Each structure stands twice: as C-alpha cells, then as structure tokens.
Amino acid sequence: VCNTTLSGAMEKPSSDKVTINNPADITIIIVYFIMVIGVGVWSMFRTNRGTVGGYFLAGRTMTWWPVGASLFASNIGSGHFVGLAGTGAASGIAVGGFEWNALFIVLLLGWLFVPVYLTAGVITMPQYLKKRFGGTRISLYLSVISLFLYIFTKISVDMFSGAVFIQQALGWNIYVAVIALLLITAVYTVTGGLAALMYTDTVQTIVIIAGAFVLTGFSFAEVGGYSTLLDKYHSATPRNFSSMDPQRYNISPQCYTPRPDAFSLLRDSTTGDLPWPGVLFGIAIVGGWYWCTDQVIVQRCLAARSLTHVKAGCIMCGYLKLLPMFLMVFPGMISRVLYPDEVGCVVPEVCKQVCGTEVGCSNIAYPKLVVSVMPDGLRGLMLAVMLAALMSSLASIFNSSSTLFTMDIWTRIRPQATERELIIVGRVWVLCIVAISICWIPVVQAAQSGQLFDYIQSVSSYLAPPIASVFLLAVFVKRVNETGAFWGLMGGLAMGLCRMLPEFWFGTGSCIFPSNCPFLVCGIHYLHFAIILFFCTSVLVLLVSYCTEPIDDQHLHRLVFSLRHSKEEREDLDWEQEEKGRRAREEEEEKSGIRRLVGRLCGGGSGSSQDQEEAPEAAEQMPDISEDPVWKYIVDANAIIMMAVAVFMWGYYA
Amino acid sequence: MGKLSALISCLLLTVGAVMAQTAQTQVSERLLPQWLTGLIAVSGFLFLTFVGFLVKKAWCEESSRGMTIVESTVRENEFAMTNGNTYETTLDMVRSTEDTNAYENLAIDGTDDKVTAM
C-alpha cells in the first residue's frame, strides 16, 4: 500500500532537466522494451488463453517465483518511487513502515486467506462473497467500490507519479509519453492475459531492483555514507526560509526543519505525524484490505500451481518488500541532504519556481537524484526502472479490473454469455479503462494545489477498513450471515463518508496554511480512524448476524477457514443464479447459427460445445489444498525466518 | 493459530519497546544500541513462536487423546460382549442363525474375496 502525504508537483520542470538523447540511454530503453514484449509474446504460446481459467487465472500453472515477483511488481508502482522518496525526504523513515508492515500481512494472505479462496473455487473476490453469503447486493457493492478505488487510488497515483518523473527528468510531452506507455501495456495485457503479465512482472522486478540498487549505491557514494546521512539529515534546511509576504503568512521553523524523530519508525502517538498505534495496527488493517481481499493481489495467488507455491511466493514477496526502505526512502532523504533548497523548499514562491507547486517540492526527490547523480547510460536504466514499475502496476490493475467487470458485472447484465464472449468483453474493458486513464491526465494536471495524494490516502483509509473487516469475519466466523455483512458494509461506508466528505470540503492544508477543518472531524489521525472504523464495522456485523438466522453448515463447506478441508457436498447459496445462467447459455446455443458464425469470426478458438463441457467439468473438480508434508515444513520454517528478519528490522529502527 | 498469536505477541513486544522510548520525543537518543533492540525483539519473537508451537502440540495431543479414549471404550465393549476372551471360539459363535444344527463357515462369508485377476 502506498499511502503518502505528498505535494503535487507538475508543470514547469526545473531548469536542469536532462533529455535522454545519447546513444547509451536510448539503447538501454530499446533493449528493455524488446525484452518485455518478447517475454510477453513467449508466454502467450505457453498457456491456453481460450478459456476463462486460462485467461484470467493463467491456467493455474504458475510456480512460486512468478507468483512472488508478480506480487511485488504489481504492488510497487511509480507511485512508490516518487511517494516513498518524497515522504522520506519530508518526514523521515516512518513511511517505510507501510512497506514493512506488509511483510506480515502477506503471510496472513498465504496461510489464512488463500487456502479458503482456493477451496472455494472462485475467480474473483465478489464471487467469493456471493458464495459465502448468497444474495447479490454484497458482491455488487464490492465490485463497484473496488473499481472505484482502482480508478481513484491506484491508477491515479501511478499515472501522476509517472508524469512527475517524465516531466522532471525528461521533459517529454506528457500526453505522448503516457499514451505510448499505456498502449504498450494494453497490448500485452489484452492479448496475453494473466500469464503474460506474471512473466513480464518477473522481468520488471529484476529491472526495478537492479536499477534501484544502482541509484542507491551512487546516492550513498555522493552523500558520503550511511553515518554521514544520519548526521547531515538533521541540518538539511533550505537557505530561503523567511516569508516573502509576512502579511499573508508566517513560516514557523518546524515547517522547514527536519523532524527530530526522522530516523524512528515508531513515533509518538499524539504529536507524531505517523503515530505508532496507527503504524502498527492501522496500516495492518488497510494492508489487510490491500493484500488479503483485493482482486489484484489475490488473483496472482489463485494462479499458482498449488498451495505450497502460493506460500513460497508470499515469502519471496515478503523478502522483496524489505528493500523499498533502502532503495527508495533513504535515497529520498539523501536527495534532501544534497539539494535542500529544491527538495526541502518551504517558501511558496520559491517552491513554485522549482517544481510548479506552492505546497512543497518533496515529490521531486527521486527524479532529481536520477537527473543529477546518475551518469550517462544509467539514466536510461532508471527510466526503464520507472517504466517497469509503472507498466507492471497498471497492467495488473487493468487485468484485475477487467476480471472484476467481466465476471461480476457483465455476467449479471448478460447471464447467457458464453466463455468466448466473456473473454472478448474482458479485453474490451481493458481498452475502456485505458481511455479512462488517459482522460485522468488533465484532472491530474489540474490538481496542482498538491492535495491529490492527501485525498488518495484518505480514500483508502476511510473506505477500505469495512471491507477488510467483513472479509476477515466471513472467513473465520461461521455465524456471520448476509444481513449482518451487508449492514456492516453500509454502516462502515456511512462512517467513512462522514469523515471523508467534510475533510475534502475543508481541504487538508499545509504547514504554512493549515486547514480550518474542525477538530471533531479531522482531529483524529487517519490511521487511528481506520482502526476505529474497523472495530465499529466488526461490532455491527456481529451484532446484526447474531440477531438474524445463521447460515447452515451445508452451505459453508470449503468457504470458511474451519471447514476448508471438508470434502462434503456443498449446496451453493447462489445455485439459483448459476442454474439460470446455465439454462440461458443453453438456450442461446440453440438459437441461430448466424450468431455462431459471427462469434467464430470475432473470437476464434474451439466450438462452443467444448466450452460448455469445460464449465461443468471445472466446477466438479475441487481445487486441492493438500500439501506435501516435507515442503510444508520447509515453507513454514522459511516463513518464521522471514518474520524474524522483519522483527529485527522493526526493532533496529523503532 | 500459533502463528497468529505469535504475530500479535510480537507486535505487543514492539509496543513495549516503544513505550520505553516515548519519553524522549524531542531528542533521538536511544537507551540501547539499535542492533541490541533488534536482537531483543527477535529473541522475544522466537520465544513466543516456540511457546505457540508447544501450545499447538498440546492442543493436538489433547484432541487425539480424546479420539483414543473413544476407540478404547469401543474395544472395551467388544471385550465385554465376547466374555473377556477373544481367542476362545465357542461353538455358539459359529452357530448358524437359520438352522440350529448347521454351522456357519465364516471363511466363505468373509466380505473380502481374494480373486485372482484374469
């Protein structure tokens, strides 16, 4: 999860931007694109993309390393580079807590949630809720709010950060650059499906880590080492810090001096900008939504060959998540030490000159390093890194949102849709969402007041905890039923909106111009609010569930954690819908042959009768979550080692 | 289950480590060197994992002991029904129910037939 307070930085790039126009840089970029497209094309021939399972779940054949790499690459986007470095420059290492918290959450995903999702035999998360609770309103709500959150948080963050980097470091025309990127991403997403994505994500991960390591090495060399950073950071103040217009505003020293607790992960619960209960528990809750209940991440785990591969992939992703603190947060702080007048600017007029926004210029921390510290040739590598991060995240979001739309919304509109039609709709939706993303660019440019990232992190913290709570209770508490879950979600949404809308209305303000949001609404830190919202929703869900009738066990086999190994026949609560859909599909087949001809033209692939056979066959074979005991012990031991490493890092920097 | 409780406990431990530092918010002094805090946290975590492991083992043993108690009561009942001696075969045991003068050939009536494959 990348939730960061950032100031927007767009337009009018600083004067020392460097265009990539030397042969070394250009060669590297071309080589990178050839590699990615090559891997995408190769993976297209490896899996059968003609079926829903093959297209959306890569045929369930993935081994642990593409799973782990894809989890990491889908998560790390250009927003992480710009956002983590920028917030690190502004307020120190606590923002790395977002990354290191995920180390534990990703293990929860592999050990607790994925076994249940696998035995349930679902492709999307709303589908799981539909099977678990019955009825359609919960899954419809979840699909809609997930699509909303994708567009407003993930896509906008990544596009904005990519735009910042392109503007700052390259000076390219923003529309040309972004459209070209999106089209390349769309090409291999649309044609290859999840398999192509996961294999290209492996390439992207290698590029991201290699490039970021190189930059970190150069940055530390430039600043003089780790201990020099520790010393110099506290004195990295800009030269201009007096107000240019004392009648309008005054600048207090705390607005431009680095925080004294900058090298602490766990900060004071009342005066800290990221209080420690929020960092430990609030981020865990939002992380629980992101890693354990969100389609993008869970889909990659469902594509794995077996449960052991899922667990190993989660461990690999965990180890990789140790790196962003060192590869992005520390370079951001180095950037502030090296360029305090630009990255750490505080006077609004000066900031506007530097990066085009009055609020602050911490966002340019990472691009500035790339421009200033990296030699020729390696700048092309860093561009490839940013492109890798941007394309991998966007491609994953495109694919997962298309899965959600196809399997949950389209099948409700047209229950008689055949498999081939679903795959075509999935591909068309990707193109639609690319168009939406392109339309976001002017919105992003207009948000020059720098409030965009504040809004994005509010949206996550105020809307995600109810979903996390409902999923957690759905998996672990059999007594929870449909009424309880629905009213819990509605209550949580109402509470979240009560906080979110007034905060948008008043604005979050900045250090020099604080917002006049009343204490009752904005006084509680957003992470603490996430904790409160989570508990309130849980209480509401449990209360309403215990007052209404329970769901029988026969509907819950292999849908809850306690029954995940049961082999008994399950009466699906959504069997009526499935029957209707199957009957509608059969009627459709009996109709005109003309439609079949047209279908063959558009879709290609085997005849529809084979597709029909595939659907009931897939439904009858129950996914297997048994594990080879030897591998189980190895994987469990590795998980404990990883947790020990994570605990050591937390303890070291606490 | 053990892992979940270990996780929660390790988080509580980190909380404890923090409480020791919340007194000094203005100055970033530390009571202990950083690597030592890290090591203490790790040893605490490993200890809790070990405890969790033992608890899980005790739990499983209890449930399997519950199962063996049930099995042994069933065997005891069988014992009682055959007058305490399972090896002594009395004529009554093989007396046929259909004809009091005939005796059952238990071998033929056995359910697991050994048939050689053709």
Side-chain angles (χ1 to χ4, degrees):
Chain A
V1 162
C2 179
N3 291 312
T4 51
T5 13
L6 283 177
S7 46
M10 281 287 295
E11 309 292 25
K12 299 188 188 50
S14 57
S15 53
D16 60 336
K17 70 172 177 357
V18 179
T19 49
I20 299 231
N21 55 5
N22 55 70
D25 283 339
I26 295 180
T27 338
I28 292 190
I29 296 173
I30 293 179
V31 164
Y32 164 73
F33 274 112
I34 291 176
M35 249 195 336
V36 167
I37 296 177
V39 169
V41 167
W42 165 81
S43 62
M44 275 185 228
F45 293 111
R46 258 183 75 107
T47 44
N48 168 26
R49 296 153 300 124
T51 60
V52 164
Y55 186 76
F56 289 119
L57 287 184
R60 288 192 206 260
T61 55
M62 289 289 157
T63 45
W64 58 274
W65 49 271
V67 170
S70 189
L71 286 175
F72 181 74
S74 304
N75 172 243
I76 297 285
S78 45
H80 281 74
F81 281 97
V82 171
L84 281 178
T87 315
S91 57
I93 68 171
V95 70
F98 283 94
E99 302 300 300
W100 283 357
N101 207 302
L103 291 166
F104 298 101
I105 309 295
V106 91
L107 293 179
L108 281 186
L109 167 72
W111 266 257
L112 300 181
F113 284 88
V114 170
V116 177
Y117 296 149
L118 276 177
T119 46
V122 293
I123 300 180
T124 67
M125 292 296 97
Q127 212 177 24
Y128 168 75
L129 287 185
K130 200 162 28 146
K131 282 197 194 295
R132 169 67 175 84
F133 293 121
T136 55
R137 51 190 184 169
I138 296 180
S139 68
L140 182 65
Y141 169 76
L142 186 68
S143 319
V144 169
I145 211 173
S146 297
L147 286 175
F148 174 82
L149 282 171
Y150 288 163
I151 295 175
F152 282 85
T153 63
K154 300 183 188 184
I155 293 181
S156 54
V157 168
D158 284 333
M159 298 223 7
F160 183 77
S161 314
V164 165
F165 185 81
I166 289 171
Q167 285 269 305
Q168 283 292 314
L170 304 176
W172 287 354
N173 180 331
I174 186 73
Y175 280 96
V176 169
V178 169
I179 290 175
L181 277 179
L182 289 177
L183 285 178
I184 297 177
T185 315
V187 161
Y188 71 76
T189 312
V190 163
T191 46
L194 188 65
L197 277 188
M198 290 179 78
Y199 285 119
T200 49
D201 276 352
T202 316
V203 173
Q204 316 272 30
T205 305
I206 298 172
V207 169
I208 290 172
I209 294 180
F213 257 114
V214 169
L215 181 79
T216 311
F218 274 102
S219 312
F220 271 109
E222 187 83 9
V223 86
Y226 180 71
S227 34
T228 329
L229 170 67
L230 293 180
D231 294 327
K232 281 196 188 169
Y233 182 78
H234 290 291
S235 46
T237 46
R239 269 174 309 173
N240 303 331
F241 53 79
S242 42
S243 163
M244 287 201 176
D245 189 356
Q247 268 131 14
R248 201 160 63 105
Y249 62 88
N250 266 322
I251 304 182
S252 74
Q254 73 170 74
C255 289
Y256 57 84
T257 325
R259 299 181 60 92
D261 57 5
F263 285 96
S264 251
L265 270 180
L266 300 172
R267 300 178 177 173
D268 189 71
S269 47
T270 37
T271 62
D273 59 340
L274 284 171
W276 66 264
V279 167
L280 288 181
F281 304 114
I283 299 181
I285 291 169
V286 182
W289 164 73
Y290 184 90
W291 293 96
C292 301
T293 72
D294 193 54
Q295 182 63 26
V296 175
I297 298 294
V298 174
Q299 199 170 342
R300 272 132 192 84
C301 291
L302 293 179
R305 192 173 287 207
S306 74
L307 189 59
T308 318
H309 283 281
V310 171
K311 294 183 176 179
C314 288
I315 294 177
M316 175 177 165
C317 177
Y319 278 118
L320 291 174
K321 284 293 264 179
L322 281 171
L323 300 175
M325 173 73 97
F326 304 105
L327 298 181
M328 294 165 211
V329 178
F330 280 119
M333 299 172 82
I334 290 173
S335 186
R336 183 171 181 174
V337 169
L338 294 176
Y339 314 108
D341 300 314
E342 284 117 335
V343 176
C345 75
V346 67
V347 183
E349 287 83 2
V350 173
C351 286
K352 196 157 179 78
Q353 228 179 349
V354 169
C355 62
T357 332
E358 289 189 347
V359 179
C361 288
S362 51
N363 279 2
I364 67 167
Y366 205 81
K368 191 110 179 82
L369 273 183
V370 172
V371 163
S372 320
V373 162
M374 297 288 268
D376 269 347
L378 291 179
R379 234 175 278 128
L381 175 66
M382 289 318 298
L383 176 64
V385 166
M386 289 297 285
L387 294 178
L390 179 65
M391 281 165 59
S392 62
S393 297
L394 283 183
S396 309
I397 298 166
F398 291 166
N399 180 279
S400 296
S401 69
S402 116
T403 315
L404 269 182
F405 179 77
T406 314
M407 302 303 295
D408 290 299
I409 300 182
W410 188 260
T411 45
R412 189 190 311 269
I413 301 174
R414 275 178 56 85
Q416 66 270 33
T418 56
E419 282 217 355
R420 214 176 323 122
E421 180 181 331
L422 289 179
I423 294 171
I424 295 173
V425 167
R427 291 169 163 159
V428 168
W429 175 257
V430 171
L431 297 176
C432 287
I433 212 170
V434 165
I436 294 176
S437 308
I438 294 175
C439 295
W440 250 126
I441 302 175
V443 176
V444 145
Q445 287 183 327
Q448 281 201 29
S449 60
Q451 302 303 323
L452 186 70
F453 279 103
D454 294 328
Y455 292 164
I456 286 163
Q457 102 197 335
S458 316
V459 169
S460 288
S461 299
Y462 304 146
L463 296 182
I467 303 174
S469 142
V470 164
F471 265 93
L472 191 72
L473 291 172
V475 167
F476 287 101
V477 179
K478 284 197 283 187
R479 187 64 180 80
V480 172
N481 58 15
E482 200 264 348
T483 352
F486 180 73
W487 290 110
L489 281 174
M490 290 297 116
L493 177 69
M495 246 181 97
L497 287 178
C498 280
R499 167 74 191 250
M500 194 169 93
L501 296 176
E503 196 167 306
F504 281 18
W505 180 257
F506 286 107
T508 35
S510 67
C511 187
I512 306 178
F513 302 103
S515 100
N516 52 353
C517 188
F519 180 79
L520 200 64
V521 176
C522 299
I524 309 177
H525 193 271
Y526 65 90
L527 288 175
H528 291 156
F529 186 80
I531 303 175
I532 297 173
L533 184 56
F534 180 82
F535 279 111
C536 287
T537 312
S538 311
V539 162
L540 186 60
V541 168
L542 289 171
L543 214 67
V544 177
S545 296
Y546 274 99
C547 293
T548 43
E549 19 178 272
I551 305 181
D552 284 330
D553 261 15
Q554 58 177 296
H555 301 297
L556 291 180
H557 289 296
R558 296 179 301 287
L559 285 176
V560 288
F561 193 72
S562 43
L563 294 176
R564 70 193 185 284
H565 289 302
S566 90
K567 300 273 181 258
E568 295 170 28
E569 189 69 35
R570 176 178 75 216
E571 251 179 63
D572 273 335
L573 281 170
D574 61 343
W575 67 271
E576 277 175 35
Q577 258 197 328
E578 305 258 305
E579 267 304 305
K580 228 191 305 173
R582 204 173 300 136
R583 229 175 294 131
R585 271 195 294 270
E586 282 168 13
E587 275 175 32
E588 183 82 1
E589 282 317 306
E590 287 164 14
K591 280 186 194 164
S592 61
I594 299 174
R595 204 174 294 182
R596 211 174 301 162
L597 268 173
V598 173
R600 200 159 290 172
L601 238 145
C602 288
S606 47
S608 45
S609 54
Q610 258 171 299
D611 292 335
Q612 284 279 35
E613 282 170 32
E614 153 108 22
E617 210 181 279
E620 273 159 32
Q621 60 174 189
M622 288 187 283
D624 185 28
I625 57 164
S626 61
E627 300 174 78
D628 185 351
V630 172
W631 284 111
K632 185 171 178 325
Y633 281 125
I634 293 177
V635 158
D636 285 351
N638 261 306
I640 296 194
I641 295 173
M642 195 196 90
M643 281 204 278
V645 172
V647 167
F648 177 78
M649 301 306 291
W650 274 91
Y652 189 90
Y653 281 107
Chain B
M1 227 7 243
K3 284 194 187 57
L4 199 57
S5 62
L7 167 65
I8 295 174
S9 321
C10 103
L11 290 176
L12 287 172
L13 189 78
T14 347
V15 164
V18 166
M19 295 306 252
Q21 287 179 28
T22 42
Q24 315 127 293
T25 47
Q26 295 311 310
V27 193
S28 52
E29 280 176 12
R30 292 179 196 271
L31 298 167
L32 300 165
Q34 286 185 300
W35 56 269
L36 196 58
T37 335
L39 275 180
I40 294 174
V42 173
S43 31
F45 166 71
L46 290 174
F47 174 72
L48 290 166
T49 318
F50 183 62
V51 165
F53 190 64
L54 291 177
V55 164
K56 186 180 167 194
K57 218 168 188 179
W59 200 309
C60 283
E61 215 179 85
E62 238 183 68
S63 62
S64 62
R65 206 185 313 137
M67 296 232 285
T68 46
I69 287 175
V70 172
E71 279 174 29
S72 59
T73 41
V74 170
R75 227 177 290 129
E76 272 171 35
N77 287 337
E78 280 176 24
F79 221 58
M81 286 193 289
T82 53
N83 284 335
N85 195 344
T86 42
Y87 292 107
E88 205 180 83
T89 45
T90 56
L91 274 178
D92 283 339
M93 282 169 66
V94 294
R95 198 183 283 277
S96 166
T97 45
E98 291 158 356
D99 190 336
T100 47
N101 288 324
Y103 293 94
E104 301 274 19
N105 187 342
L106 291 173
I108 289 184
D109 291 341
T111 45
D112 43 349
D113 287 312
K114 290 194 177 59
V115 182
T116 46
M118 297 287 212

